[in-house]
């Protein structure tokens, strides 16, 4: 949550987008609440996008996620950054983020909790 | 972790021939830690290309990437196959082809592809604490030979990281300083790197400790006579 807060603080005009499973988003909000009780404030500026939305709306996202490295390759050098690339493309297609405005995109709750 | 206005930074870079830029890590690796997408088609082309490569058998992918089957090397392969103008490189060191933007201040700006965040905060892997340098990275090697150092301009809230570059072993007025607009904190121990907004208690002290630990480890680990 520190990276999201820092991004919002230094880029108040930019969208802060978190893509994750719906259940994980609820867990994230609980973690924020237990950390400093500022759950409502954070919820107001973090744009949450359920992963199911992307799975449904973006064939490219489905394709990339069904392939390595997410399924079978376990090389630790594979980074979720490549997932963020595919997610960003899907978010552009859906009109969630826009080319003329900066966006901070985070995928998954584990990274967001840090 | 971001330490400035990315939109202003991008504006300072001007137009991109490729429509897409990422961070260079070494002559053959690139990082997606920060990406600038100026044209939708450029991002679509790269994602399509990556998807096609991920359909390859492991053995073929290993051959294509010369044994380094991961996205950082694949981005390098993309540049090799399509040409450098297909995927441009954001500034991580003073000799960037895209030039160095400025914000309202006169200081020039650089981005961290992971080297500085790894050096100050370490990585999650055993034996790679603060002071860790990946010498296969361009910046890791520059650090090892003492051409560049990192510091914080302020130990309080609002602190920002900076790097100082010196031409070979020359000290003093020939050295130049640049602000870092981000730190890629590989360890994921992010609290000490929070500098604005709701700053967790004790982070300033933690940040100072981490930098001092990294520098002390570096002094012990690397031979001063090498440069």
């Amino acid at each position: 949550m520190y990276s999201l807060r820092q991004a919002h603080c230094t880029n108040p005009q930019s969208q802060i987008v978190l893509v994750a499973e719906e259940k994980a988003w609820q867990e994230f909000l609980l973690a924020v609440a237990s950390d400093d009780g500022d759950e409502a404030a954070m919820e107001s500026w973090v744009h949450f996008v359920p992963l199911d939305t992307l799975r449904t709306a973006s064939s490219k996202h489905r394709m990339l996620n069904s392939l390595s490295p997410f399924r079978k390759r376990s090389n630790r050098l594979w980074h979720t950054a490549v997932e963020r690339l595919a997610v960003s493309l899907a978010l552009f297609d859906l009109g969630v983020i826009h080319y003329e405005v900066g966006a901070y995109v985070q995928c998954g709750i584990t990274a967001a909790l840090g | 972790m971001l330490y400035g206005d990315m939109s202003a930074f991008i504006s300072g870079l001007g137009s991109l021939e490729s429509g897409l830029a990422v961070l260079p890590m070494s002559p053959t690796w690139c990082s997606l830690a920060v990406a600038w997408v100026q044209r939708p088609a450029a991002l679509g082309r790269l994602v399509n290309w990556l998807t096609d490569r991920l359909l390859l058998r492991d053995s073929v992918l290993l051959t294509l990437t010369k044994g380094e089957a991961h996205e950082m090397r694949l981005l390098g392969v993309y540049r090799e196959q399509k040409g450098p103008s297909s995927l441009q490189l954001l500034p991580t060191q003073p000799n960037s082809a895209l030039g160095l933007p400025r914000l309202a201040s006169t200081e020039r700006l650089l981005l961290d592809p992971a080297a500085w965040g790894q050096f100050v905060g370490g990585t999650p892997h055993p034996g790679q604490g603060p002071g860790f340098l990946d010498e296969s990275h361009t910046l890791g090697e520059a650090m090892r030979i003492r051409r560049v150092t990192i510091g914080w301009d302020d130990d309080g809230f609002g602190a920002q990281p900076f790097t100082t570059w010196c031409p070979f072993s020359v000290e003093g007025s020939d050295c130049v300083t640049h602000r870092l607009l981000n730190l890629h904190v590989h360890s994921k121990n992010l609290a000490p790197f929070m500098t604005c907004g709701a700053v967790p208690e004790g982070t300033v002290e933690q940040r100072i400790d981490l930098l001092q630990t990294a520098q002390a480890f570096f002094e012990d680990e690397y031979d001063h006579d090498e440069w």
Side-chain angles (χ1 to χ4, degrees), chain A residues 1-11 13-14 36 38 60 63-64 67-70 72-73 75-86 88-90 92 99-102 104 111-114, chain B residues 1-7 29 32-35 37-41 43-44 46-48 50-51 53-58 61 69-72 74 125 128 186 188 190-191 193-198 200:
Chain A
M1 64 192 86
Y2 298 123
S3 59
L4 296 173
R5 284 183 170 141
Q6 182 78 12
H8 179 56
C9 176
T10 51
N11 291 264
Q13 306 304 318
S14 298
D36 62 5
D38 202 17
K60 283 199 179 79
M63 181 78 165
L64 201 61
L67 299 171
S68 306
F70 309 114
K72 60 180 180 180
R73 290 186 178 122
N75 186 332
R76 69 178 177 84
L77 284 173
W78 278 104
H79 290 154
T80 54
V82 72
E83 182 183 12
R84 197 164 61 236
L85 199 68
S88 296
L89 186 61
F92 283 127
Y99 286 91
E100 58 274 20
V101 182
Y104 183 94
L113 283 174
Chain B
M1 300 293 274
L2 299 178
Y3 298 98
D5 181 349
M6 292 302 296
S7 297
W29 287 22
L32 289 165
V34 176
V37 181
Q38 195 175 56
R39 287 198 294 275
L43 179 61
L46 177 59
V47 171
N48 286 344
L50 283 169
T51 305
R53 298 313 172 277
L54 291 175
L55 285 166
L56 298 172
R57 289 200 312 273
D58 282 6
L61 193 56
H70 48 72
E71 93 283 359
M72 297 172 289
L74 271 176
H125 309 301
Q128 297 182 354
H186 198 170
K188 309 307 178 198
L190 300 178
F193 298 95
M194 186 91 183
T195 62
C196 68

Side-chain angles (χ1 to χ4, degrees), chain B residues 15-210:
Chain B
S15 179
L16 278 184
E17 182 185 353
S18 63
L20 181 62
V22 297
L23 297 175
M25 300 176 78
S26 76
T28 55
W29 287 22
C30 295
S31 164
L32 289 165
V34 176
W36 175 24
V37 181
Q38 195 175 56
R39 287 198 294 275
L43 179 61
R45 272 196 300 274
L46 177 59
V47 171
N48 286 344
W49 187 91
L50 283 169
T51 305
D52 286 348
R53 298 313 172 277
L54 291 175
L55 285 166
L56 298 172
R57 289 200 312 273
D58 282 6
S59 58
V60 178
L61 193 56
L62 279 168
T63 303
L64 177 72
T65 56
K66 296 178 181 167
E68 298 175 320
H70 48 72
E71 93 283 359
M72 297 172 289
R73 175 63 188 131
L74 271 176
L75 290 171
V77 173
Y78 183 79
R79 292 191 84 233
E80 289 163 13
Q81 290 189 355
K82 306 279 185 184
S85 61
S86 64
L87 184 63
Q88 287 170 275
L89 303 176
L90 291 166
T92 57
Q93 51 191 62
N95 61 354
S96 163
L98 284 180
L100 306 184
R102 305 167 190 260
L103 293 185
S105 67
T106 57
E107 292 169 308
R108 293 176 185 275
L109 300 164
L110 294 174
L111 295 166
D112 174 26
W116 299 120
Q118 285 184 345
F119 178 71
V120 178
T123 85
H125 309 301
Q128 297 182 354
F132 171 72
L133 294 179
D134 190 328
E135 293 174 32
S136 66
H137 297 180
T138 305
L139 285 178
E141 177 62 7
M143 183 76 179
R144 188 187 68 80
I145 62 173
R146 292 170 181 269
R147 290 195 60 190
V148 58
T149 54
I150 185 171
W152 291 85
D153 63 358
D154 172 4
D155 290 332
F157 299 149
Q160 292 184 321
F162 66 86
T163 60
T164 300
W165 295 73
C166 298
F168 296 100
S169 59
V170 177
E171 295 282 359
S173 59
D174 286 332
C175 298
V176 289
T177 295
H178 301 79
R179 273 180 51 195
L180 285 172
L181 207 49
N182 75 305
L183 275 183
H184 186 92
V185 183
H186 198 170
S187 68
K188 309 307 178 198
N189 174 26
L190 300 178
F193 298 95
M194 186 91 183
T195 62
C196 68
V199 178
E201 193 175 344
T203 58
V204 177
E205 291 77 13
Q206 290 174 31
R207 188 161 61 239
I208 294 169
D209 285 348
L210 281 170

